[in-house]
Amino acid sequence: MLSSKLERSVNVTPDEADWLLARMSVASPGKMLNVEEVRFWIEKLKPYTLDDSVEACNRLEDTCKFWPSWSEFKTSLRAVQNSHEKNFVELQPVAKVVEKEEALRIIDEIRKTQLNKRV
Protein backbone atom coordinates (compact mmCIF):
# COMPACT_ATOMS: atom_id res chain seq x y z
CA MET A 1 0.00 0.00 0.00
CA LEU A 2 2.46 2.68 1.14
CA SER A 3 5.86 2.74 -0.49
CA SER A 4 9.07 3.25 1.37
CA LYS A 5 10.49 6.73 1.77
CA LEU A 6 13.17 6.16 -0.86
CA GLU A 7 10.75 4.95 -3.50
CA ARG A 8 8.35 7.87 -3.67
CA SER A 9 8.32 11.60 -3.98
CA VAL A 10 4.90 12.22 -5.54
CA ASN A 11 1.90 14.05 -4.16
CA VAL A 12 -0.36 12.59 -1.50
CA THR A 13 -3.18 10.49 -2.96
CA PRO A 14 -6.66 10.39 -1.37
CA ASP A 15 -5.97 6.90 0.05
CA GLU A 16 -2.70 8.05 1.57
CA ALA A 17 -4.34 11.16 2.99
CA ASP A 18 -7.00 8.92 4.54
CA TRP A 19 -4.26 6.74 6.06
CA LEU A 20 -2.50 9.83 7.42
CA LEU A 21 -5.75 11.12 8.95
CA ALA A 22 -6.31 7.75 10.59
CA ARG A 23 -2.83 7.92 12.04
CA MET A 24 -3.48 11.45 13.32
CA SER A 25 -6.73 10.20 14.87
CA VAL A 26 -4.76 7.64 16.85
CA ALA A 27 -2.44 10.37 18.12
CA SER A 28 -5.40 12.66 18.99
CA PRO A 29 -8.20 10.25 19.95
CA GLY A 30 -10.63 12.96 21.11
CA LYS A 31 -11.27 14.24 17.58
CA MET A 32 -13.88 12.66 15.34
CA LEU A 33 -13.74 13.97 11.77
CA ASN A 34 -16.89 14.41 9.77
CA VAL A 35 -17.05 13.83 6.01
CA GLU A 36 -16.46 17.50 5.13
CA GLU A 37 -13.40 17.70 7.36
CA VAL A 38 -11.94 14.59 5.74
CA ARG A 39 -12.55 16.07 2.28
CA PHE A 40 -10.94 19.34 3.41
CA TRP A 41 -7.79 17.59 4.66
CA ILE A 42 -7.54 15.37 1.57
CA GLU A 43 -7.75 18.43 -0.67
CA LYS A 44 -5.21 20.37 1.37
CA LEU A 45 -2.71 17.49 1.45
CA LYS A 46 -2.75 16.90 -2.34
CA PRO A 47 0.10 19.31 -3.25
CA TYR A 48 2.52 17.82 -0.73
CA THR A 49 4.54 14.61 -0.70
CA LEU A 50 3.58 11.75 1.57
CA ASP A 51 7.06 11.65 3.07
CA ASP A 52 6.94 15.31 4.12
CA SER A 53 3.37 14.94 5.37
CA VAL A 54 4.25 11.92 7.51
CA GLU A 55 7.28 13.72 8.93
CA ALA A 56 5.11 16.76 9.74
CA CYS A 57 2.64 14.41 11.42
CA ASN A 58 5.47 12.87 13.46
CA ARG A 59 6.56 16.31 14.65
CA LEU A 60 3.02 17.25 15.63
CA GLU A 61 2.47 14.00 17.50
CA ASP A 62 5.33 15.03 19.77
CA THR A 63 4.17 18.62 20.31
CA CYS A 64 0.37 18.86 20.03
CA LYS A 65 -1.97 17.68 22.77
CA PHE A 66 -5.01 18.06 20.52
CA TRP A 67 -5.89 17.61 16.86
CA PRO A 68 -3.94 20.24 14.92
CA SER A 69 -5.58 22.91 12.83
CA TRP A 70 -4.61 23.00 9.16
CA SER A 71 -2.41 26.05 9.85
CA GLU A 72 -0.54 24.15 12.58
CA PHE A 73 -0.07 21.19 10.26
CA LYS A 74 1.07 23.44 7.41
CA THR A 75 3.57 25.19 9.70
CA SER A 76 5.03 21.81 10.60
CA LEU A 77 5.00 20.80 6.93
CA ARG A 78 6.87 23.96 5.91
CA ALA A 79 9.47 23.33 8.61
CA VAL A 80 9.98 19.84 7.20
CA GLN A 81 10.27 21.18 3.65
CA ASN A 82 12.72 23.88 4.71
CA SER A 83 14.90 21.30 6.43
CA HIS A 84 15.25 19.46 3.10
CA GLU A 85 16.09 22.46 0.93
CA LYS A 86 19.51 22.57 -0.65
CA ASN A 87 19.71 26.34 -0.92
CA PHE A 88 22.59 26.71 1.48
CA VAL A 89 25.47 28.57 -0.08
CA GLU A 90 28.72 26.67 -0.19
CA LEU A 91 31.47 28.49 1.62
CA GLN A 92 34.06 29.74 -0.79
CA PRO A 93 37.39 31.21 0.20
CA VAL A 94 36.94 34.97 0.34
CA ALA A 95 40.58 35.91 -0.07
CA LYS A 96 43.55 34.32 -1.66
CA VAL A 97 46.56 33.19 0.32
CA VAL A 98 49.33 35.78 0.27
CA GLU A 99 52.94 35.85 1.33
CA LYS A 100 53.85 37.22 4.76
CA GLU A 101 55.24 40.49 3.34
CA GLU A 102 52.07 41.11 1.35
CA ALA A 103 49.92 40.36 4.40
CA LEU A 104 51.93 42.85 6.49
CA ARG A 105 51.50 45.50 3.78
CA ILE A 106 47.72 44.93 3.67
CA ILE A 107 47.49 45.12 7.47
CA ASP A 108 49.50 48.36 7.41
CA GLU A 109 47.10 49.85 4.83
CA ILE A 110 44.09 48.86 6.94
CA ARG A 111 45.64 50.46 10.04
CA LYS A 112 46.32 53.71 8.16
CA THR A 113 42.77 53.74 6.82
CA GLN A 114 41.29 53.13 10.24
CA LEU A 115 43.47 55.83 11.85
CA ASN A 116 42.36 58.35 9.21
CA LYS A 117 38.70 57.53 9.98
CA ARG A 118 39.16 58.26 13.67
CA VAL A 119 40.57 61.74 13.10
Side-chain angles (χ1 to χ4, degrees):
M1 179 177 142
L2 297 175
S3 302
S4 75
K5 193 171 193 178
L6 296 174
E7 294 174 4
R8 43 174 295 119
S9 63
V10 295
N11 295 357
V12 174
T13 65
D15 286 343
E16 292 166 338
D18 193 42
W19 172 83
L20 187 63
L21 293 173
R23 179 185 169 133
M24 290 171 63
S25 294
V26 171
S28 301
K31 175 70 172 170
M32 294 295 292
L33 294 175
N34 62 39
V35 174
E36 287 304 313
E37 289 173 317
V38 171
R39 286 183 186 150
F40 171 84
W41 278 88
I42 289 172
E43 188 65 31
K44 289 291 193 176
L45 288 168
K46 277 183 185 179
Y48 302 99
T49 66
L50 179 63
D51 296 335
D52 287 349
S53 299
V54 169
E55 193 172 335
C57 181
N58 290 341
R59 289 180 181 205
L60 288 171
E61 288 170 358
D62 295 337
T63 58
C64 287
K65 293 181 181 180
F66 304 103
W67 184 273
S69 66
W70 171 250
S71 65
E72 290 171 316
F73 190 87
K74 189 172 179 179
T75 298
S76 180
L77 197 51
R78 292 290 167 114
V80 168
Q81 290 173 326
N82 290 340
S83 71
H84 297 310
E85 287 187 11
K86 307 270 191 240
N87 63 356
F88 298 104
V89 179
E90 275 191 43
L91 295 177
Q92 299 293 327
V94 177
K96 60 182 180 179
V97 177
V98 295
E99 296 295 324
K100 182 177 179 181
E101 295 79 21
E102 178 69 12
L104 291 173
R105 186 190 62 73
I106 293 170
I107 292 170
D108 191 44
E109 285 179 21
I110 293 170
R111 285 183 181 150
K112 288 177 184 175
T113 306
Q114 293 300 319
L115 285 174
N116 290 338
K117 286 183 181 179
R118 291 185 194 165
V119 177

